[in-house]
Amino acid sequence: MKDQAVVVLGCRIASGAGKPLAGAAGRRASAGAKIARERDAEIVVAAGGRGWHASGEWRVEADALAEELVRSGVDASRIVRERASRTTRENARFVARALAERGVTRVLVVTCAWHVPRAVALFRAEGLEAAAWPVAPPPSSLRARAYRVVRERIAMRLDRLFFAVLLTLMVACSKGGGSPDASVQNAKIDAGADLGAIGAAEDERRADLVTEAMRTSDDVLVRRRAARALARIADAPSQAGLLRALEDEDAETVAWGAYGLGFSCKGREDASVRALAARAASLDVEPETSAKIDPRAAIARALGRCGGSLAESTLASWTRGKGKSIAWREQAALALGDVAGRRGTLDDDTVTALLDAAGDGVATALYPFARAQRLNDAFDARLLEVAKKALAGPKSDDRVFAVRALAKAGEGAIPELSRVAIDTDATWTERIDAMRSLGKLGESGRAAAADALAKIVPNPSDAFAVLSVGGDVYGEIVAGLVALGQTPPPKATAVLSSLASLRAAGEAPLSLARRLATIRCTAASLLAHGAFDASGINACDTPGEAVERARLAALLRRPMVGPRRVAWVALTKSEHLRVREDALGAFGAHGELGETGVAAIAVALADTKHPGVVATAAEVLSTHPERVLVLSAKERRNALDPNAPPPPANPEEEIAPAVAKALTDALAFKFADDAIETRAGLIDAAAALHARGAKAAATAACDDPNQTMRDHAQKALHALGDSKTTCAPPKTMPLAKEVAAPHGGKLVLDTDAGTLTIAFDDELAPVASTRVLDLAKAGFFDGTIVHRVVPGFVVQLGDPQGDGYGGSGEPLRCETSPVPFGLLDVGMALAGRDTGSSQFFVSLGRYPHLDGDYARVGKASGDWFAVAEGDVVKHAHVE
């Protein structure tokens, strides 16, 4: 049989080296050896590159089959080992390549009888003349036989669908860039070298450097890293590799493939959704996975990112539970939260499916309600019913979704939220979210928040009770004050008066004094009802940031004219950056500031020592360009004379001169590479104003090494009338220095709130973890403040300037992953793709909208609930 090869397909290996193969692999090898001897076959292919742990050893299918063939009498010189494939489809592909070199086109495929139809079809699809030698399985149960039949039928349908989708996407992707040379793709490289090359490709954002040999390596770690790199690159040339990863038999590789497709499906949404849904169907007939990264979660969330009616209807079907496990239903519900967050609403059929699932005990089914901006009021009663049922259940990270959903259930939810807000058996995050939800339910909700707040405020005359403000009750009080709104209900007066008088006995520690001052001044500002110079504000603390924040909040409640305008100008010059930035940001909503506001914006644009101040001014210009256009004279003319000439044709002539000059100078200034919010904001502002030099600045930014800068540049050019220019992704990026020696470790922070720690894991985000730890070793974080705290949500720090706009000077590549953010998980702060630097955050609850959008770098421990804005990191060191 010189013109026909015998091909033995691999499967699970359960026997150690030197022992006869057991199970299906042994039966296949025995049958293959018998037919090879009978027909005197010159070529016997042992096919399969999957590795299995057998008797404590790692054995590759092709090697184990080859050993058994020799043991069964086949001449070793006639055996060809095909070790690159992971699936039957790949068996066919790589065997066809190997035989083509030998001029063989006919094969006799040896596999289990139930697998024959699909195996033969796939070998024929590769151009081979294929026949089969079925191997009878041992007696099995009806359930097992039915499982095999269903699996094979679904797999055959997926084969046809996969090839159709792959062809469609490959055609589309071919416009985005070429593929590497085939000889390089097929090269066999050492796994260690592969991992190094893949890491460089990921860091440089070069999909073409992730070769086919890497994507189909017999080392599962190489395949996972290849899929991870492509998922983080997520451009058009990545599509073919991501689709291949989606079909892999390794669960984590599948997860990375799905994640990347979800991030890069723009313009190919329906095709991506179909491919993802097809792979989901095949997972239904595969065993449960214990992978660190769940492919089911990755596939579902990818559908949510792609969005569209097809994705929503698919996810709604999964949520209903038709043929789906509880794990699938939970992930589908989270993905519908992604859809709701992007669309702002959900179809009524989807809402019904979610309520049904919540009634069945699927806790995550209530998450999308908090993400939606608007829903049909007809669902209020049912939503209230299922949310109350969920809250009556045992504590879990997902139970908080019921609290957040109640904010969309109408005023009927107020009694339940009031109960949770003061329930010591509820979690801290649940109590805070209950208070927050009350604030969203109109006047009645705010009144209930006032009642709840009164029950948790310590007695001002009890010195010991006042000390509790140094702990996590502080976050509950802050959330309650926010829930009262800008115009508190009358019944809040008593509790606000109590809070405005909250003081410690004697000299309080600095951290407690800061918290008490914040509470007193916030309460005093609310009691002032817009009177910025009220005695309560002036007396709430010594002059400083707390007093200035209270005064600004009062100013913003009324038109800023006369003395109020003078007070506002003073705050735009505050030494406290966050106060200054908040004051400047108010100009957009207070046009009555007129030329005074224009002058303040011009001064802010010129303050290049403080990138956050410049960024704030730029944001005002981009969102409210009319505030700085010299239009008053034109408007007066038109009001008096309808036949007055039109305004100047060139918008540049209308910009206030001081702003025009300051904007031009800021555009020319060399900000730090990681000041991307500032740099991008200036381009946005220049484009919104059609300022002189805007097009030149946008054109230059179109070649910036950073992808976010290029995105802003392209948008600006389109706004300026150049709709044809496309700012393509950078062809290459310089390697981050952290790539050379990534490492993990424990970061120990000595802060005003006590000792806090973070264990950094370098597996998912090695570059970011290394960056933070190396900065800590260099003393970078010593003396920095915690600049952002949202009780029950996040604590954020790592900015040396303390306003959230600063960094280390060097931007970081995104190392996002398809992993969830849970309580006390740590992530890198971002303002767009590849904009991280030195800032990181600690999650104080379960917030699925963070999943996949930020690099998760570690786990925090310590009393992070007690941390407050303004707390100082006295010293940071690494263990």
Side-chain angles (χ1 to χ4, degrees):
M1 196 173 65
K2 296 181 179 180
D3 61 342
Q4 184 180 40
V6 175
V7 180
V8 184
L9 298 187
C11 57
R12 182 181 182 85
I13 305 299
S15 304
K19 297 180 180 179
L21 277 185
R27 291 191 295 272
R28 294 184 189 186
S30 178
K34 180 180 179 182
I35 192 68
R37 291 195 307 269
E38 290 178 354
R39 302 195 182 187
D40 194 25
E42 292 191 358
I43 298 177
V44 182
V45 181
R50 292 187 67 184
W52 300 89
H53 283 286
S55 301
E57 300 176 80
W58 181 259
R59 303 199 70 194
V60 175
E61 292 168 338
D63 295 339
L65 288 172
E67 291 175 13
E68 188 65 20
L69 287 168
V70 171
R71 185 180 291 110
S72 300
V74 178
D75 188 340
S77 64
R78 299 188 179 190
I79 298 174
V80 175
R81 303 188 189 197
E82 183 283 296
R83 304 175 79 256
S85 61
R86 292 293 178 281
T87 65
T88 308
R89 182 184 301 119
E90 291 182 355
N91 288 155
R93 182 190 314 158
F94 289 109
V95 168
R97 288 184 185 176
L99 295 181
E101 298 175 358
R102 296 166 171 81
V104 177
T105 59
R106 297 173 63 235
V107 294
L108 183 65
V109 181
V110 181
T111 187
C112 294
W114 52 265
H115 189 218
V116 162
R118 179 168 176 252
V120 170
L122 289 171
F123 273 84
R124 288 174 179 172
E126 294 295 334
L128 295 171
E129 184 181 335
W133 185 277
V135 178
S140 58
S141 67
L142 177 61
R143 181 178 180 181
R145 294 196 300 273
Y147 165 79
R148 291 169 184 159
V149 171
V150 171
R151 183 177 70 179
E152 289 301 293
R153 287 181 178 176
I154 291 176
M156 290 184 73
R157 292 181 181 178
L158 294 180
D159 287 333
R160 292 192 290 270
L161 177 60
F162 175 77
F163 283 123
V165 172
L166 179 60
L167 178 61
T168 301
L169 292 179
M170 285 294 286
V171 170
C173 294
S174 65
K175 300 177 182 179
S179 61
D181 182 78
S183 62
V184 177
Q185 286 183 329
N186 296 328
K188 290 291 291 180
I189 309 173
D190 175 73
D194 272 349
L195 294 177
I198 292 170
E202 177 183 319
D203 195 57
E204 292 186 58
R205 296 288 190 261
R206 289 280 304 278
D208 60 310
L209 297 181
V210 183
T211 67
E212 182 178 345
M214 297 170 183
R215 300 195 299 265
T216 60
S217 170
D218 55 8
D219 188 323
V220 68
L221 181 57
V222 173
R223 297 204 313 283
R224 287 177 186 173
R225 291 291 177 84
R228 186 181 81 175
L230 293 173
R232 289 173 173 172
I233 297 169
D235 58 6
S238 304
Q239 295 301 298
L242 290 172
L243 282 166
R244 189 262 163 233
L246 187 66
E247 288 299 300
D248 203 280
E249 294 185 3
D250 173 63
E252 291 187 33
T253 304
V254 172
W256 283 111
Y259 177 65
L261 289 172
F263 259 104
S264 59
C265 64
K266 185 177 181 180
R268 53 176 75 88
E269 288 85 354
D270 283 356
S272 297
V273 167
R274 290 190 181 98
L276 290 163
R279 189 64 177 99
S282 68
L283 284 176
D284 285 338
V285 294
E286 293 178 9
E288 288 292 324
T289 178
S290 59
K292 293 181 180 179
I293 303 177
D294 186 356
R296 293 163 178 81
I299 289 174
R301 301 303 291 274
L303 287 176
R305 290 182 184 281
C306 289
S309 58
L310 180 60
E312 182 176 350
S313 62
T314 300
L315 291 168
S317 175
W318 295 355
T319 303
R320 288 188 181 93
K322 294 183 178 179
K324 293 291 181 182
S325 66
I326 187 69
W328 265 121
R329 299 179 73 185
E330 290 173 344
Q331 296 303 329
L334 292 175
L336 285 171
D338 299 333
V339 175
R342 285 165 172 76
R343 281 186 55 202
T345 188
L346 292 168
D347 293 340
D348 285 356
D349 287 345
T350 302
V351 174
T352 300
L354 288 167
L355 290 172
D356 289 345
D360 290 343
V362 181
T364 59
L366 292 172
Y367 166 66
F369 292 92
R371 296 290 289 160
Q373 297 299 314
R374 58 191 184 281
L375 293 169
N376 192 330
D377 293 344
F379 293 108
D380 285 358
R382 180 94 190 280
L383 177 57
L384 175 59
E385 174 190 348
V386 297
K388 289 176 68 175
K389 179 182 177 182
L391 285 170
K395 290 182 182 180
S396 71
D397 289 344
D398 294 336
R399 196 174 71 170
V400 72
F401 299 145
V403 179
R404 298 170 191 165
L406 285 172
K408 302 297 170 60
E411 293 189 358
I414 291 176
E416 181 69 5
L417 288 169
S418 297
R419 179 191 69 78
V420 175
I422 59 172
D423 185 0
T424 55
D425 286 335
T427 67
W428 182 72
T429 303
E430 287 171 349
R431 294 197 297 273
I432 286 179
D433 276 316
M435 194 76 81
R436 195 173 283 139
S437 293
L438 285 171
K440 298 176 182 178
L441 290 173
E443 186 70 19
S444 298
R446 292 194 292 274
D451 288 338
L453 184 60
K455 294 176 181 178
I456 64 174
V457 170
N459 184 349
S461 61
D462 185 342
F464 183 77
V466 171
L467 294 177
S468 67
V469 175
D472 55 15
V473 73
Y474 173 75
E476 297 179 52
I477 294 173
V478 170
L481 288 168
V482 173
L484 296 177
Q486 296 302 304
T487 307
K491 71 183 315 181
T493 301
V495 68
L496 287 173
S497 298
S498 178
L499 288 169
S501 62
L502 205 61
R503 295 181 182 276
E507 185 175 352
L510 181 60
S511 59
L512 177 59
R514 187 186 306 113
R515 287 161 173 73
L516 291 171
T518 298
I519 290 173
R520 287 195 308 269
C521 292
T522 302
S525 180
L526 291 172
L527 287 169
H529 296 290
F532 74 94
D533 55 352
S535 58
I537 293 178
N538 294 329
C540 71
D541 195 35
T542 56
E545 185 170 359
V547 174
E548 290 184 354
R549 282 183 174 276
R551 182 166 291 123
L552 177 60
L555 282 170
L556 298 182
R557 293 189 181 103
R558 297 181 190 174
M560 284 188 276
V561 295
R564 301 177 70 84
R565 181 178 297 177
V566 174
W568 176 81
V569 171
L571 292 176
T572 66
K573 300 175 182 178
S574 170
E575 65 180 33
H576 303 288
L577 290 180
R578 290 180 296 173
V579 172
R580 185 178 178 188
E581 289 158 6
D582 289 345
L584 289 165
F587 179 40
H590 288 269
E592 72 274 8
L593 288 167
E595 293 181 359
T596 301
V598 173
I601 292 296
V603 171
L605 286 172
D607 187 5
T608 52
K609 291 183 179 179
H610 299 112
V613 172
V614 177
T616 302
E619 184 177 2
V620 171
L621 295 179
S622 61
T623 54
H624 294 280
E626 72 281 359
R627 293 284 184 260
V628 297
L629 297 179
V630 184
L631 300 174
S632 56
K634 177 198 72 175
E635 290 171 348
R636 287 197 298 271
R637 282 200 312 273
N638 288 346
L640 297 172
D641 181 8
N643 298 317
N650 186 354
E652 294 175 6
E653 299 176 20
E654 301 179 13
I655 304 175
V659 171
K661 182 181 185 307
L663 181 58
T664 299
D665 291 344
L667 283 168
F669 186 80
K670 175 62 176 174
F671 289 96
D673 289 343
D674 64 350
I676 294 171
E677 280 185 272
T678 303
R679 295 162 55 210
L682 288 168
I683 290 175
D684 293 345
L689 291 168
H690 286 250
R692 183 176 290 109
K695 189 168 185 178
T699 300
C702 206
D703 291 326
D704 194 277
N706 184 271
Q707 181 62 54
T708 294
M709 286 298 300
R710 292 190 179 213
D711 291 342
H712 281 266
Q714 179 171 300
K715 184 178 179 181
L717 288 171
H718 290 182
L720 293 168
D722 184 0
S723 59
K724 295 183 179 180
T725 297
T726 299
C727 299
K731 291 184 178 180
T732 185
M733 294 182 177
L735 284 172
K737 65 178 183 298
E738 290 84 2
V739 174
H743 59 82
K746 179 186 285 187
L747 177 63
V748 181
L749 302 169
D750 177 17
T751 76
D752 290 342
T755 300
L756 307 170
T757 63
I758 299 173
F760 279 84
D761 181 359
D762 64 348
E763 181 178 354
L764 286 177
V767 176
S769 298
T770 302
R771 165 71 63 85
V772 174
L773 293 171
D774 285 351
L775 288 173
K777 292 175 182 177
F780 179 86
F781 298 111
D782 294 356
T784 60
I785 70 167
V786 177
H787 64 268
R788 183 188 182 211
V789 176
V790 181
F793 178 38
V794 293
V795 172
Q796 188 168 326
L797 62 157
D799 174 14
Q801 292 207 334
D803 63 351
Y805 289 91
S808 66
E810 297 181 43
L812 274 173
R813 311 287 193 273
C814 282
E815 293 177 291
T816 54
S817 305
V819 292
F821 271 90
L823 181 64
L824 297 184
D825 280 333
V826 184
M828 296 302 296
L830 298 172
R833 180 163 181 170
D834 298 336
T835 60
S837 182
S838 59
Q839 294 184 41
F840 55 90
F841 65 85
V842 177
S843 174
L844 302 180
R846 178 72 176 104
Y847 288 90
H849 72 276
L850 300 175
D851 299 351
D853 281 338
Y854 299 87
R856 197 180 75 176
V857 295
K859 194 79 172 181
S861 59
D863 193 5
W864 287 88
F865 297 153
V867 177
E869 278 191 13
D871 281 347
V872 178
V873 177
K874 302 172 185 176
H875 177 61
H877 69 275
V878 177
E879 292 181 355

